[in-house]
């Protein structure tokens, strides 16, 4: 997100615009936490994870009164347009705000979940999957040396994109994703019929998939296959931080740059995205409308490659 903020600020300044950063997103907007940003304010942040402007999940902004207060502050600071960087929640807030107050907004997709329509990748996804891959490569060493089965739980409350991409990347034996109904029998069957005797097994689990929790799933597997020494690792928030990958920095820079130029061209109410290496725009309503598809060919490939 820092790389995207940097691009927004510098592009806006290039076009002689005045820029404010809003501390803690919508929550800060309600309280008038706007700070003027100069080119130097965004120096030396492109390599840092997270957002130097901070972020918050704002319950108050979900209310009409909260948005009315936010609009008062927008008027007070004479802000003409907004760039909102975030995911599903950020965009749903943006849709309400623009519908109620007509303020021009361009959204930039910033979420590790890669679950927005209208962009091949969201900012943070590439860094997150690389973090997962490097962690699971280390886990695989223990799994292989001790002949163990590891369930590795990754983020993705409603989305299996992280589990799928990183699962392919680490050569996982099985991947549980929310887009495909959990089928324990399928897993048991595959563990039983494993064509070659593998010393280690990695099962990737998207957090949203296992309502009962990875530990319960691990217990079930152990009851069925007591011969497997079964362990669980929950990777958690290490996936949301750290220095961003170069791909993420480039994507974030391109999207931030395009967001400002789009506002200057009079575009509004859209999410800027990248599809097939081209910048494109999708109505915010459509960006959050449906889950991004999981390619069935990928799922078939996972099955074949993990045999
Ligand atoms: O929304 C992105 C996400 O990474 C989800 O995959 C995850 O469930 C959630 O954030 C975690 O959010 P929090 O840090 O608030 O627990």
């Amino acid at each position: 997100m820092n790389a995207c903020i940097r691009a927004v600020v510098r592009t806006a300044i290039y076009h002689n615009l005045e820029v404010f950063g809003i501390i803690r997103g919508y929550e800060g907007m309600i309280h008038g936490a706007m700070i003027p940003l100069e080119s130097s304010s965004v120096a030396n942040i492109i390599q840092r994870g997270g957002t130097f402007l901070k972020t918050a999940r704002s319950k108050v902004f979900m209310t009409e009164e909260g948005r009315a207060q936010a609009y008062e502050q927008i008027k007070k600071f004479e802000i003409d347009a907004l760039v909102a960087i975030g995911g599903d929640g950020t965009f749903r807030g943006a849709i309400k705000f623009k519908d109620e107050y007509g303020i021009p907004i361009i959204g930039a997709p910033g979420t590790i979940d890669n679950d927005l329509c209208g962009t091949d990748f969201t900012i943070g996804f590439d860094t997150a999957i690389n973090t997962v891959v490097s962690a699971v490569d280390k886990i695989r060493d223990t799994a292989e040396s001790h002949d163990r089965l590891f369930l590795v739980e990754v983020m993705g409350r409603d989305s299996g994109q992280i589990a799928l991409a990183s699962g392919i990347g680490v050569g996982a034996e099985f991947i549980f994703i929310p887009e495909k109904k959990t089928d324990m029998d399928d897993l048991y069957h595959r563990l039983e019929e494993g064509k070659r005797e593998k010393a280690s097994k990695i099962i990737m689990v998207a957090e949203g998939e296992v309502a009962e929790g990875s530990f319960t799933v691990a217990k079930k597997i152990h009851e069925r296959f007591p011969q497997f020494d079964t362990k669980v690792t929950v990777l958690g928030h290490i996936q949301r931080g750290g220095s961003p990958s170069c791909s993420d920095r480039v994507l974030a820079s391109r999207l931030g740059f395009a967001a400002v130029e789009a506002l200057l061209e009079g575009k509004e109410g859209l999410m800027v995205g990248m599809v097939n290496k081209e910048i494109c725009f999708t109505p915010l309503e459509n960006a959050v409308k449906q889950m991004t598809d999981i390619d069935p060919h990928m799922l078939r490939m996972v099955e074949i490659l993990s045999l």
Side-chain angles (χ1 to χ4, degrees):
M1 285 192 183
N2 280 324
C4 191
I5 298 166
R6 172 180 175 271
V8 168
V9 171
R10 293 202 170 159
T11 309
I13 289 172
Y14 171 81
H15 287 288
N16 296 317
L17 301 172
E18 200 182 342
V19 196
F20 289 93
I22 305 179
I23 305 296
R24 293 195 172 83
Y26 296 132
E27 190 65 23
M29 197 190 278
I30 289 166
H31 298 108
M34 282 70 154
I35 53 162
L37 295 177
E38 307 297 335
S39 187
S40 58
S41 321
V42 292
N44 204 20
I45 63 168
I46 196 166
Q47 75 279 24
R48 284 162 46 194
T51 157
F52 85 105
L53 290 176
K54 299 185 172 286
T55 185
R57 300 194 197 282
S58 176
K59 287 213 169 82
V60 187
F61 194 78
M62 289 178 196
T63 65
E64 269 179 36
E65 303 74 53
R67 291 191 294 277
Q69 284 174 37
Y71 184 61
E72 284 308 310
Q73 297 297 335
I74 290 287
K75 277 198 301 191
K76 189 171 134 200
F77 283 85
E78 299 181 350
I79 289 171
D80 303 310
L82 290 170
V83 176
I85 310 169
D88 191 85
T90 303
F91 291 173
R92 286 185 196 280
I95 292 165
K96 285 218 162 77
F97 202 47
K98 76 168 172 63
D99 287 350
E100 287 166 355
Y101 297 103
I103 178 142
I105 303 180
I106 293 286
T111 163
I112 62 166
D113 289 348
N114 203 29
D115 59 350
L116 294 167
C117 294
T119 191
D120 289 340
F121 298 106
T122 53
I123 300 164
F125 176 68
D126 185 66
T127 305
I129 56 176
N130 280 299
T131 300
V132 173
V133 165
S134 83
V136 178
D137 284 350
K138 293 181 178 83
I139 291 169
R140 179 73 88 172
D141 289 345
T142 293
E144 191 70 16
S145 306
H146 290 263
D147 294 352
R148 284 181 183 165
L149 181 152
F150 272 83
L151 258 103
V152 180
E153 186 181 306
V154 295
M155 276 187 166
R157 201 175 17 210
D158 306 309
S159 165
Q161 299 279 350
I162 294 177
L164 183 61
S166 58
I168 293 170
V170 300
E173 277 64 38
F174 201 89
I175 305 176
F176 280 119
I177 53 171
E179 293 84 348
K180 191 171 170 267
K181 189 88 198 78
T182 306
D183 190 345
M184 288 301 287
D185 288 337
D186 187 21
L187 171 66
Y188 295 154
H189 182 64
R190 289 178 68 78
L191 289 175
E192 268 155 11
E193 70 151 20
K195 288 211 172 61
R196 62 192 172 83
E197 209 35 63
K198 281 192 189 171
S200 64
K201 290 181 173 49
I202 300 286
I203 300 177
M204 299 297 287
V205 185
E207 63 175 340
E209 171 50 7
V210 278
E212 50 191 338
S214 314
F215 288 92
T216 313
V217 175
K219 198 161 162 266
K220 282 187 187 167
I221 295 173
H222 185 67
E223 279 162 12
R224 180 87 175 227
F225 300 95
Q227 70 273 31
F228 295 149
D229 188 4
T230 303
K231 301 276 176 189
V232 178
T233 301
V234 179
L235 291 181
H237 287 79
I238 65 161
Q239 295 161 89
R240 285 238 300 242
S243 189
S245 68
C246 185
S247 296
D248 263 333
R249 297 181 200 194
V250 173
L251 176 69
S253 300
R254 290 195 65 186
L255 297 182
F257 177 80
V260 174
E261 299 221 315
L263 284 168
L264 287 168
E265 286 163 17
K267 293 192 173 81
E268 55 182 273
L270 304 169
M271 181 194 83
V272 59
M274 180 90 72
V275 175
N276 292 332
K277 297 188 189 147
E278 300 280 341
I279 291 290
C280 64
F281 294 89
T282 306
L284 286 167
E285 289 81 356
N286 294 355
V288 296
K289 206 177 219 161
Q290 72 234 17
M291 293 293 298
T292 39
D293 290 338
I294 291 279
D295 183 350
H297 297 294
M298 293 258 271
L299 294 176
R300 186 171 159 262
M301 184 190 79
V302 169
E303 280 186 20
I304 293 169
L305 299 190
S306 64
L307 285 176

